[in-house]
Structure formats: C-alpha cells, structure tokens
Amino acid sequence: MSFRKDFVWGAATAAYQVEGAAYEGGKGLSIWDTACENGHFVFNGHTAKVGCDHYHRFREDVALMKKMGLKAYRFSVSWPRLMPHGTGELNPEGVRFYNDLIDALLEAGIEPYMTLFHWDYPYELFLKGGWLNPESPKWFEAYAVNIAKLFSDRVKHFITVNEPQCFIGCGLYQAVHAPFLSCPPEEALLAWHNTLKANGLATRALRANAKGSVQVGLTVATDVLMPATEADKATIVKENFTLRGDNFFSNALFTDPAVLGKYPENLASAFRANFTYDEKDMEIIKCDPDFLGLNIYHGKYITSDGKGGIRDVVPDMNVPFTDMRWPVTPESLYYGPKTYWERYHLPVYITENGVAVSEWLSADKKLHDPARIEYIRSYLEQLRRAASEGVDVRGYFYWSLMDNFEWKEGFSKRFGLVYVDYNTQERTPKDSAAYYAGIIRENGENL
Ligand code: NOJ
C-alpha cells in the first residue's frame, strides 16, 4: 500500500511568521509583537512587523500554491487580529482578511486547514495572566465560537492549538519563546492544565457552532524516540510515552489527557512540583479529537540501558545536521506516526515537517536546494512505510510554504519551498517547490 488516494498534500505557515501588517487593519498587539519590540530576545533585533507581507500579498501566495498543485494550505488566525482585545468585539478588517484568504484558496481549489492558536497570544490577555488565569480556557472558547460562526461554512478542518510544548514549555518555563518567562513548575503546569481545558472547550465549541460537519484536531510538537537495535523495537511505543523529568516535550503530556483523559502518573514527581487539580476538569479536557496533528522534524535513537531504563545513542559522525542543528533522521517520520497510532488509534496528519538550510540565490537568480529535496524524499519514504503498515496517515504539510520569521532566530533560518527576499518581498520558488509539485502530481509514487 502507498499513500491514500485522497492524501492531503499541503504546506503550512503561521500568522505571526508571515502576515506582517502587525500595526495595521485594526489588529491588537500580541506577545510576539511586544517581545520583538524589546529588541533583546530575537536574533539581530529582527521583528515580523512586515514579515513576508502575506497580509497584502496573499493572492500572489495563493497563486504560487496553485502552481505547485497544493491540495491544502495550513495557516493560523491571529487571535488579536480577529479580536484585538482577546475577548469582546471582533475586528471587521481582520474578519475580512481571513474571509478573503479562504475564498481565494477555495477558488484555487486549495482546502483551508485553519489553526486557531499558533503562539501570537493577545497581549491584553497576557496582562491579565494569560494561560495562568483561571478564565483563560473560557477566553479561548469564546474565540473558538467566533471562528466556527465566521468560517465553518467554508473551512472544514480546524486545529485548536499548535505545539503547547513550545508556547507553555518554551514560553513560560524555559524562557526561550515569548513571553520569555521561567515560571516555577507548579505555575507552568497550571498553564498547561488551563491550555488542556481551553483545548477541550474549543473542540466542543467548534463542533457545536459549526455550519455542517467539521473535523477538529490538535497539533503537538513531538519528541520521537527510535529503536537503535532490533531488541529495542518491542518497547518503543512504551518508551515514547514515558514521562522522564520536567520535560514538556514528552509525548504523553498533552495527548494522554486530551485523548485518554489521564495525565502520566508520575507528572508531579517528574516536575518536582506540588501540582494538584480538580478531577472533574478531566471531563472537559478529554475531548475526542478527530485527528492528531504531528509536527515532526527529527528524532533520537535510544537503546536499553540494561537496568530497565533507556539511554540516548549519539548520532554517527556522518549524520547531517540542519541549519537549526537538528539531526536529519528520516525514520522519525516512520516511528513518530507509528507510535502515536499504536497508542491512540486516531488518524494522523503530519502538520509540519521540513528543513532549514543556509542558502542564497545563485547567479542564475534561482535557488538550488538539493539538500531540501533529499530531506523531503527520504522523510516521505518513511512516512509511506508507516502508511503501508496500516498507520492511518491522512496528509502531509511541508513547513513552510515560504521562508519566514523563525521566532527567536528571526529571519536567519530558511525553511521555505519559496525563497523570500525580505527587502523587496520578491518570491522565488526553489528547486524543491518543483520537486514537491512532482510528488503531489504522482501522489508520492515517484519518491
Ligand atoms: C514548529 C512551529 O510550529 C513553527 O512555527 C516553526 O517555525 C517550526 N516548528 C520550525 O521551527
């Protein structure tokens, strides 16, 4: 078996990373706007004020997608663009922007996959405590009701949150993402718990307020462990969902409560936290997502330590590293979906996979990116292997459609299928864009 006939081939972006127009069109501030303004957190003081100017150039970008033959585009709504204060009134210009984008996509035959929250948290709500505020799940629920009412006549796939691992773990615990805080573990876990409640409420709100039937899922960052030896294969699912230490990236931490209705038993001890919660919350948190979105870029080979635990296997010296210093490990796109499937039996979308390469235009004004082509080919080969073993993989979204603002790395990392000149905003499809178009045409038969 190969990829399903209706396999969804797409590319992804997120609002703050591409839209620009940060102070235009009635938009409210987000915590990324204020973090960038500060000038100290992001590489070379870059800000995404203008970004890729997708807000003004989305029609040109949709035309590029169409040329590539994309079947779907995953993008996020900027919460403060739609609701400048986070709660309360809607911003009509924001509503118009997303309506226009959705209509342009549908006209081009491209299915919109909408993420509700991809990190650009409304600054006004942050000042009220953000995810630490007990009201925060309700704020997100009200936002989801608006989304459903406004867009679900045309958008049929929704992703509630993108990578809580990053916006809570990196944002509130490790201080490497906005709002760049290192809260004590009790507070970070409380924010995590509120995010899970928000996810549960939003999932129900989207379903209850949708016009027609919709699919609602969530997207997680993954920490894929892969077996180094034949013997390690037998325990790899269990190892992938074992919580070790104060690790917000641990695979069980979000999906176990959201899907199975329980936290890992060792949650409080692993985080050395005095963390308790109302058991009734689990009725909200467990929300039966229709699918799981997995963001997978790399994985880690592990082996048994002979004492009932595991140890990392240091990558071979020939293993290449991307511009993010992430190891190139194609098998992560096999073991990731496979282990999630075996634990939850939910359909899987790869909502992100891609590579940043240090690259620039050649004298012929083209961008030749053989490393990205080989990355895509070798990873997709492994995804196909998972599909052929019965894993219900529904789609793949390359990250990213175009080069964009890579958070604290600013514009220094290029992930795109399309090269962006940030001075002129000129777009140049890379060689990989043509390669990916060929894969889409053949439904991956030509890998
Ligand atoms: C995950 C995030 O969702 C996305 O915003 C980011 O740019 C990519 N990974 C690459 O780091």
Side-chain angles (χ1 to χ4, degrees):
M1 210 183 98
S2 189
F3 295 110
R4 311 160 50 110
K5 292 255 169 313
D6 59 354
F7 194 79
V8 179
W9 296 100
T13 64
Y16 189 69
Q17 296 180 270
V18 297
E19 279 180 11
Y23 301 94
E24 269 179 65
K27 175 180 160 294
L29 287 180
S30 81
I31 56 170
W32 272 98
D33 292 313
T34 52
C36 287
E37 286 298 348
N38 170 293
H40 293 295
F41 296 120
V42 176
F43 175 79
N44 269 1
H46 291 172
T47 89
K49 261 187 244 176
V50 176
C52 306
D53 200 26
H54 187 59
Y55 183 76
H56 295 112
R57 293 167 197 263
F58 71 91
R59 290 187 198 282
E60 183 188 339
D61 294 333
V62 171
L64 286 171
M65 295 180 217
K66 187 173 178 184
K67 210 163 162 210
M68 242 183 265
L70 292 190
K71 307 252 185 266
Y73 176 48
R74 173 180 177 234
F75 62 97
S76 77
V77 171
S78 158
W79 183 352
R81 189 181 294 290
L82 200 72
M83 300 172 73
H85 310 287
T87 55
E89 74 208 23
L90 285 166
N91 167 27
E93 288 179 76
V95 174
R96 192 181 328 128
F97 169 67
Y98 294 110
N99 272 334
D100 288 350
L101 173 60
I102 293 164
D103 291 344
L105 287 166
L106 292 174
E107 242 166 69
I110 299 165
E111 174 106 40
Y113 277 61
M114 182 183 274
T115 305
L116 273 65
F117 179 60
H118 200 128
W119 308 357
D120 43 356
Y121 198 78
Y123 186 63
E124 286 193 31
L125 296 184
F126 166 71
L127 293 179
K128 294 182 181 159
W131 294 113
L132 286 161
N133 189 310
E135 291 300 305
S136 58
K138 292 263 175 215
W139 299 336
F140 192 61
E141 179 186 35
Y143 169 52
V145 170
N146 279 333
I147 293 267
K149 288 188 175 159
L150 289 165
F151 307 124
S152 66
D153 56 333
R154 289 152 295 153
V155 178
K156 297 298 171 192
H157 293 84
F158 293 96
I159 292 161
T160 50
V161 290
N162 177 72
E163 296 196 351
Q165 293 72 16
C166 283
F167 65 84
I168 302 295
C170 301
L172 296 180
Y173 192 52
Q174 290 176 323
V176 288
H177 275 251
F180 295 93
L181 294 174
S182 50
C183 300
E186 286 78 12
E187 285 175 10
L189 285 175
L190 173 62
W192 186 264
H193 190 72
N194 285 338
T195 305
L196 277 162
K197 282 169 74 177
N199 176 67
L201 292 176
T203 303
R204 288 179 182 84
L206 286 164
R207 287 178 181 145
N209 293 280
K211 301 176 181 144
S213 89
V214 291
Q215 297 277 300
V216 185
L218 57 93
T219 280
V220 286
T222 54
D223 184 19
V224 178
L225 305 181
M226 305 176 291
T229 71
E230 207 42 46
D232 297 314
K233 284 186 179 168
T235 54
I236 201 63
V237 178
K238 174 176 125 323
E239 299 302 357
N240 261 292
F241 293 91
T242 298
L243 171 62
R244 295 177 191 83
D246 57 341
N247 177 13
F248 276 106
F249 282 77
S250 183
N251 293 322
L253 216 55
F254 203 79
T255 37
D256 266 17
V259 181
L260 307 177
K262 57 171 195 200
Y263 276 120
E265 268 165 26
N266 60 339
L267 178 71
S269 62
F271 278 85
R272 289 189 299 269
N274 181 12
F275 175 70
T276 54
Y277 62 93
D278 187 343
E279 266 303 329
K280 279 218 199 84
D281 289 350
M282 272 302 163
E283 289 164 23
I284 300 173
I285 287 173
K286 182 175 182 301
C287 60
D288 303 318
D290 295 310
F291 62 88
L292 293 179
L294 305 180
N295 291 353
I296 299 177
Y297 290 85
H298 55 93
K300 201 160 53 193
Y301 284 100
I302 55 103
T303 192
S304 155
D305 67 0
K307 294 180 246 158
I310 57 167
R311 63 177 176 81
D312 291 0
V313 175
V314 179
D316 182 275
M317 279 183 296
N318 285 321
V319 169
F321 282 79
T322 74
D323 202 27
M324 297 292 282
R325 283 233 169 205
W326 296 340
V328 177
T329 54
E331 274 200 317
S332 53
L333 217 55
Y334 167 74
Y335 282 108
K338 189 167 169 79
T339 52
Y340 271 85
W341 169 250
E342 290 191 1
R343 187 162 182 89
Y344 302 114
H345 286 281
L346 281 176
V348 162
Y349 287 87
I350 304 304
T351 38
E352 289 181 30
N353 168 252
V355 61
V357 179
S358 176
E359 58 194 357
W360 52 91
L361 293 175
S362 298
D364 60 2
K365 300 268 189 296
K366 298 210 166 110
L367 202 139
H368 305 293
D369 56 344
R372 182 169 292 101
I373 289 174
E374 179 52 17
Y375 180 99
I376 296 174
R377 192 204 61 74
S378 60
Y379 274 68
L380 281 177
E381 198 173 60
Q382 293 296 328
L383 186 63
R384 184 171 62 184
R385 180 178 158 210
S388 73
E389 291 180 16
V391 178
D392 186 358
V393 195
R394 302 271 169 104
Y396 170 90
F397 292 81
Y398 180 80
W399 183 271
S400 176
L401 171 68
M402 55 189 158
D403 295 339
N404 61 45
F405 179 81
E406 179 55 24
W407 309 110
K408 73 176 180 20
E409 307 295 343
F411 294 100
S412 67
K413 308 291 176 200
R414 292 184 179 270
F415 278 91
L417 294 166
V418 175
Y419 176 87
V420 178
D421 178 325
Y422 298 116
N423 295 321
T424 63
Q425 293 297 342
E426 195 179 335
R427 274 78 162 133
T428 306
K430 302 178 188 177
D431 287 358
S432 56
Y435 172 75
Y436 190 44
I439 298 283
I440 298 173
R441 253 192 324 269
E442 305 286 325
N443 202 35
E445 293 299 330
N446 51 344
L447 282 172

